[in-house]
Amino acid sequence: MRPSVKISAACMYLLATNTAAAFQMTSLSVRQSTAIRTETSTTSLFSNAIDGEDMFETKPKTESQTRRSALSNTAKSILASYALVNAAMPMNKANAAVGTIPEFSDANAVLQGLTVDVADRSQFDEMIAFTVDGFGGKILRQSKSGSISDVWIGFGPEEMKIPDDFELPVSSFSKYGGHSSIHVRYDSQTTEAFYRKGQDAPGDNIAYVQVGVQEYRISQMVKNGGNIIDAYGIVNVVSPSGLPFRGIIGISPDPIMFIAINCSSVKKSREFYEQLGFTQQEYPYCRPNKGMGQFEPLQPKGSVYLAPSKNSVGVLLLPVKKRNIKPNPVLRSLDIVYQASDGTVVDPSADLMVVADPSTVPIAFQPFEVFEALEKKTRAIPQIEEAVNE
């Protein structure tokens, strides 16, 4: 079971009148539908070989189309209905903001990260080591409940406030709050092989997750089950979980920069995300030359970059010619944390509301107060992190 949202009575009424005939979606589980399943002041940036490793450093100073269409259209109806409720019950900006971090003061929702499923314990351990040793991530949170093990990996605190130990100008971006995370989930009772190591990604709706880091180790990616596609200035690799990554050497406030999504219709996908409150933002770069060099490409032609806030992780919508885009079964969801409107009753024991975008990418919604409580409860301590890494 996943934590979730109880929507206000007015919203539930609109949901019922607008979508009941199409599809029941108020608490859809991802696994219930195979349609969802099937500081830049840098003086130099350079690549180098150290200790015989490939290491880069910086020096900073399917079901049918009909089923998918019905799911997408229903999601749009839900989102439109929710927008009507919010319009009828306006929130003041202070109440709408997610947390107290200044960078999110303009948004009542943020794309906080993503969740991936792995098939077995070895894949779980390898995905952790791949992200930590290959890209320099850290274990931020972890939990164990029954047969399910969860680990959240990122590059800084997830708490949506300025951490108590953050001090300007001494502390770095990696000590600041509001970072996103990669949530790795393993259920020991699962019988599904989401991905077999060494193969291409099992679906193509997720083009890649782009990370901009100060260094990465290709040898550690390979050691921990990564399948290197190419590594000419940047690295494209399928992680041991089956989720594709693109690594670029540079500096970004949050190294998890965006999720690139293949779209048969960028227009339809854009409309969908705009209904979620995403707006077009300037395409993010992590190197000073902004795509004008060989180590970071320009924004892909015809693509659109959207995010809930200019300081939030976003999605890059990529145009592709193929009409039948296959869902990647390892992606459980993109995870949006939102501030519920005044008067909304939040039930932390209920299921997350999940919808799917036109490319069949699952999107889960978690109220801020539920996220905040879970983040505090599952926050990792150094001793635990060291034990997991051993």
Side-chain angles (χ1 to χ4, degrees):
M1 298 293 287
R2 305 178 182 179
S4 92
V5 188
K6 271 191 179 177
I7 307 173
S8 65
C11 186
M12 289 300 294
Y13 171 77
L14 286 171
L15 290 177
T17 56
N18 285 310
T19 66
F23 196 67
Q24 295 299 319
M25 192 78 176
T26 54
S27 60
L28 174 68
S29 166
V30 178
R31 299 304 178 231
Q32 288 174 305
S33 170
T34 55
I36 295 180
R37 290 282 306 138
T38 355
E39 55 210 75
T40 302
S41 57
T42 307
T43 56
S44 66
L45 293 164
F46 60 92
S47 62
N48 202 356
I50 297 180
D51 297 332
E53 292 188 338
D54 293 321
M55 178 176 178
F56 290 80
E57 289 189 347
T58 62
K59 296 269 186 168
K61 297 220 181 214
T62 12
E63 281 196 353
S64 66
Q65 184 62 35
T66 301
R67 173 72 168 179
R68 287 197 296 270
S69 298
L71 187 60
S72 177
N73 291 336
T74 302
K76 290 184 178 181
S77 298
I78 290 175
L79 297 168
S81 299
Y82 193 63
L84 287 173
V85 173
N86 283 337
M89 300 185 299
M91 298 176 290
N92 64 59
K93 190 167 185 177
N95 288 337
V98 179
T100 59
I101 194 166
E103 286 76 6
F104 293 160
S105 63
D106 62 341
N108 63 359
V110 294
L111 178 53
Q112 200 281 324
L114 56 88
T115 299
V116 294
D117 283 314
V118 294
D120 54 42
R121 184 71 200 193
S122 65
Q123 215 173 63
F124 181 73
D125 293 338
E126 286 179 336
M127 184 61 185
I128 295 171
F130 170 88
T131 314
V132 171
D133 299 336
F135 285 107
K138 297 179 180 179
I139 295 174
L140 304 176
R141 295 189 280 145
Q142 56 188 352
S143 71
K144 181 76 167 66
S145 177
S147 63
I148 299 174
S149 299
D150 299 276
V151 165
W152 289 261
I153 305 166
F155 296 87
E158 296 172 279
E159 57 186 307
M160 293 187 189
K161 68 181 185 69
I162 299 176
D164 295 336
D165 60 353
F166 182 84
E167 182 180 353
L168 282 173
V170 179
S171 301
S172 67
F173 284 133
S174 63
K175 300 294 184 181
Y176 200 67
H179 282 76
S180 56
S181 64
I182 297 167
H183 174 196
V184 185
R185 182 182 184 275
Y186 165 54
D187 186 345
S188 61
Q189 294 183 354
T190 187
T191 58
E192 186 167 358
F194 304 108
Y195 170 71
R196 299 187 185 280
K197 287 190 304 181
Q199 297 181 354
D200 293 337
D204 56 8
N205 60 346
I206 300 298
Y208 51 87
V209 177
Q210 179 157 312
V211 294
V213 291
Q214 297 186 38
E215 65 177 29
Y216 57 67
R217 293 178 181 268
I218 293 177
S219 61
Q220 292 300 312
M221 297 178 198
V222 174
K223 176 183 177 181
N224 291 294
N227 179 20
I228 304 298
I229 306 302
D230 56 61
Y232 300 98
I234 63 177
V235 61
N236 289 297
V237 54
V238 179
S239 70
S241 70
L243 187 70
F245 280 77
R246 170 173 288 182
I248 297 177
I249 296 301
I251 297 176
S252 176
D254 189 343
I256 301 174
M257 298 176 67
F258 57 77
I259 297 94
I261 301 173
N262 287 323
C263 306
S264 57
S265 172
V266 169
K267 179 182 178 181
K268 290 181 180 179
S269 293
R270 177 174 182 162
E271 290 172 351
F272 175 89
Y273 282 98
E274 286 177 341
Q275 290 177 354
L276 288 180
F278 285 53
T279 58
Q280 186 168 357
Q281 307 286 348
E282 181 181 354
Y283 180 79
Y285 291 99
C286 62
R287 296 178 68 94
N289 57 9
K290 294 190 173 183
M292 300 308 293
Q294 60 180 324
F295 298 112
E296 183 175 23
L298 286 166
Q299 179 176 356
K301 185 178 179 180
S303 66
V304 176
Y305 177 70
L306 303 169
S309 165
K310 64 180 181 180
N311 296 299
S312 168
V313 173
V315 293
L316 180 66
L317 307 180
L318 298 170
V320 294
K321 293 183 178 180
K322 64 182 300 185
R323 296 185 61 85
N324 295 321
I325 296 175
K326 181 181 178 182
N328 188 328
V330 309
L331 180 69
R332 189 174 185 84
S333 61
L334 302 186
D335 303 325
I336 290 180
V337 173
Y338 71 96
Q339 182 62 271
S341 59
D342 292 340
T344 301
V345 178
V346 176
D347 181 1
S349 66
D351 286 346
L352 287 176
M353 185 176 76
V354 179
V355 298
D357 78 356
S359 295
T360 326
V361 174
I363 302 169
F365 298 84
Q366 184 176 48
F368 169 68
E369 63 182 88
V370 175
F371 167 80
E372 184 179 39
L374 184 62
E375 191 274 330
K376 290 179 180 178
K377 180 180 179 181
T378 57
R379 194 177 297 172
I381 58 176
Q383 292 85 347
I384 295 178
E385 181 175 336
E386 291 170 5
V388 173
N389 286 332
E390 290 177 355

